[in-house]
Amino acid sequence: MKGWKTVFGFGTKNIGIDLGTANTIVYVDGKEIVLREPSVVAKNTKTGEIVAVGQEARDMIGRTPASISAIRPMKDGVIADYETTVTMLKYYINKAVGNSGKPYVMVCVPSGITAVEKRAVIDATRVAGAKDAYVIEEPFAAAIGA
């Protein structure tokens, strides 16, 4: 996606996130796919504290005390638990680009979601640490990839 540099500008990282119900894939411009992890968050039900995210959280399923539950914050490709999704996005963005500044982020969403759901994805991505966020529908992204 060489065109990203002209759209987003030089000097900052540009990343693409396929925020799926089962798995999340993160692409960093110039590095290709850098993350492919489950969309799972382990949360302490008593304190509300996030214990683990991604593969680490998935590995905890069935091996934790009753006070820790594994949550899938996405349902049918849209945000079901906003705060948990923000935490998950923050983890993935930090893991992908580290401390190299705030990236521009393109998030892949299912076609047919409402404007409110798109807005929630954009807001969650910005709160998670993106300089700016954009959404692209999955069929359009697939056509570009083909």
Side-chain angles (χ1 to χ4, degrees):
M1 299 187 77
K2 295 175 185 171
W4 271 24
K5 287 184 175 74
T6 57
V7 174
F8 296 139
F10 295 102
T12 58
K13 294 280 185 182
N14 301 317
I15 66 175
I17 300 176
D18 181 4
L19 195 59
T21 304
N23 292 302
T24 298
I25 301 170
V26 179
Y27 167 92
V28 175
D29 193 26
K31 290 185 181 178
E32 302 300 319
I33 294 174
V34 295
L35 279 171
R36 188 180 308 231
E37 292 199 27
S39 299
V40 180
V41 177
K43 194 173 192 179
N44 186 325
T45 56
K46 292 180 181 175
T47 63
E49 177 188 5
I50 303 296
V51 178
V53 178
Q55 187 63 44
E56 186 180 350
R58 186 169 178 240
D59 291 343
M60 294 175 76
I61 295 174
R63 298 183 181 121
T64 60
S67 63
I68 297 177
S69 64
I71 300 168
R72 291 195 179 270
M74 305 293 293
K75 297 257 192 278
D76 299 322
V78 295
I79 296 174
D81 184 342
Y82 182 82
E83 293 300 323
T84 307
T85 302
V86 168
T87 302
M88 184 176 73
L89 280 168
K90 190 178 294 187
Y91 172 80
Y92 289 139
I93 290 170
N94 286 338
K95 195 168 179 181
V97 297
N99 294 329
S100 63
K102 291 186 168 193
Y104 287 101
V105 180
M106 178 78 68
V107 183
C108 198
V109 296
S111 62
I113 69 169
T114 67
V116 172
E117 292 167 333
K118 282 183 185 179
R119 187 90 221 145
V121 170
I122 291 170
D123 290 344
T125 307
R126 286 181 179 157
V127 169
K131 187 171 190 175
D132 206 356
Y134 305 91
V135 295
I136 184 171
E137 292 185 354
E138 288 171 351
F140 187 66
I144 291 171

